[in-house]
Amino acid sequence: MPLAFMYSGIIGGVIMTVFCIGVLIYGIQLLIMCMVESSRRNNVGYMTYHETMVYAFSEGPKCCRWFSKGSGYMVDLILGFSHYGVCVVYLVFVSVNMKQFVDEHFSKIDLRIMIAIIGIFCIPLFLLRQLKYLVPGNILASVLILAGLLAIFWYFFRGLPSITERAVLVKPAELYQIPFALGIVLFATSSVGVMLAIESKMGKPGDYIGWFGVLNIASIFIIVLNVIFGLVGFWRYGCNTEASVTLNIPVEEALAQIIKLSIAIAIFLSYPLSGYVTISIIMIYVLKREVKNPHMIEYIIRVAFVILSTLNAIALPNLGPLLALVGTFSISLLNLVFPCCIELCLIYQDSYGKLLWKLWKNILMILFGLLIFFYGSYRAFVDIIEEYGESKGDTTTEKPTTTTVSLTTKLEAYL
């Protein structure tokens, strides 16, 4: 979050964070309401994101009906990729922080070797198949993260410079960085697959949405925490802000080492929950056919998932571009574009409301989501190419290179 504020300025970061989280929460509520409506029309207890997308497109205009089955596969593909990307980011995050600790107390280790070691340790934890078995680990992860965040604030407020030294708004020449910052905010504040998985497992799923539902109450906490953390982190470190602000904390101090280890362990424990969604999607397709020993097949898939995500993290061990890519590519579609398309199709034969307000509202949200998707993904790919070129053969540096205007020219030359 401090990195997102670095790209957007103090006031710009606050406005962007509040607006993004508000839009994302509205998008997930819209999606759940559409899933409930689709279930009601089909007289079934529950319909998945895939099933809702297929049904909605089959009820929409002719230009959508031919793609109804394909839309379901597209949702599964992007949803699976989204959580796979989160797992890759988690591996890099844990490894970067653990590397600092090992470098300080033992001997320097190559970042990619550390990623491989963390990946091996993830395998036993990822073999837990049931969501309920992941709850204790994630409760511990939440406690560790909150304790770590509180401790980080001690470093934030120690030696704060004058706030006038920090940019209030992004400069006109740097507006191209806004979609990149949006991608980071999207990544940091939303996880549609986990949200839907929790809603489907609740004893009283009706309590999840609504003005005073679980989702809205949680979103207020998320907004406050992210705004304060991003603002104060950027205020403290300014243009020296790292992709993960834990990397700005001095590694030689005992408290800093405890913070890094606590948050690294918390993210490590969160890895299985993020991967749970992708594995569930894969197993749905596997179980469509009669197979022997489905549990053994799932274990093999889980091990392969960890190995693949570890290899991916080894290939691209830079946090900044990964955060933006996962956020812009997947969350913009899953939380904004697809829910609006589903609602438009479901109410196609009814009414778009007075002055067609539902139509215009959804069109604006779709355009906003597509802007983030196309330009944000483009910027993230540019940075990945730049980072890969600069870090090739040098894996001892974790600091991401700040995006520059010349990257566009470099990508065009590269293509």
Side-chain angles (χ1 to χ4, degrees), residues 284-352:
I284 288 174
Y285 289 97
V286 170
L287 296 177
K288 283 184 177 180
R289 300 178 179 179
E290 291 186 6
V291 294
K292 295 181 179 179
N293 300 321
H295 294 331
M296 182 59 65
I297 292 175
E298 182 173 349
Y299 285 131
I300 293 172
I301 292 173
R302 285 177 173 272
V303 172
F305 178 93
V306 176
I307 293 173
L308 185 61
S309 60
T310 302
L311 292 175
N312 200 161
I314 290 172
L316 299 169
N318 294 300
L319 274 173
L322 280 176
L323 292 170
L325 178 61
V326 175
T328 55
F329 182 80
S330 55
I331 305 301
S332 59
L333 295 178
L334 295 170
N335 268 60
L336 299 175
V337 177
F338 292 168
C340 293
C341 291
I342 289 173
E343 186 185 42
L344 286 176
C345 290
L346 285 178
I347 63 177
Y348 172 68
Q349 298 180 8
D350 297 327
S351 171
Y352 288 123

Side-chain angles (χ1 to χ4, degrees), residues 23-32 35 49-50 53 71-84 86 186 190-196 277-278 281 326-342 365 369-370 373:
V23 172
L24 289 174
I25 295 302
Y26 174 77
I28 196 68
Q29 293 221 25
L30 179 63
L31 174 60
I32 292 174
M35 292 168 68
Y49 200 157
H50 171 110
M53 190 80 163
S71 66
Y73 296 129
M74 182 171 63
V75 165
D76 286 343
L77 180 64
I78 297 175
L79 188 57
F81 169 80
S82 170
H83 287 272
Y84 169 80
V86 170
L186 292 173
S190 181
S191 181
V192 60
V194 174
M195 289 178 177
L196 294 179
V277 176
T278 304
I281 292 172
V326 175
T328 55
F329 182 80
S330 55
I331 305 301
S332 59
L333 295 178
L334 295 170
N335 268 60
L336 299 175
V337 177
F338 292 168
C340 293
C341 291
I342 289 173
M365 285 188 64
L370 289 177
F373 171 71

Side-chain angles (χ1 to χ4, degrees), residues 1 5 14 17-18 20-22 24-25 28 146 149 185-191 195 208 214-230:
M1 286 303 301
F5 272 69
V14 172
T17 303
V18 174
C20 276
I21 296 178
L24 289 174
I25 295 302
I28 196 68
L146 289 175
L149 292 181
V185 175
L186 292 173
F187 177 90
T189 57
S190 181
S191 181
M195 289 178 177
Y208 195 61
V214 173
L215 188 59
N216 276 356
I217 294 173
S219 68
I220 294 173
F221 175 76
I222 293 170
I223 289 174
V224 173
L225 181 61
N226 279 278
V227 166
I228 294 176
F229 194 81

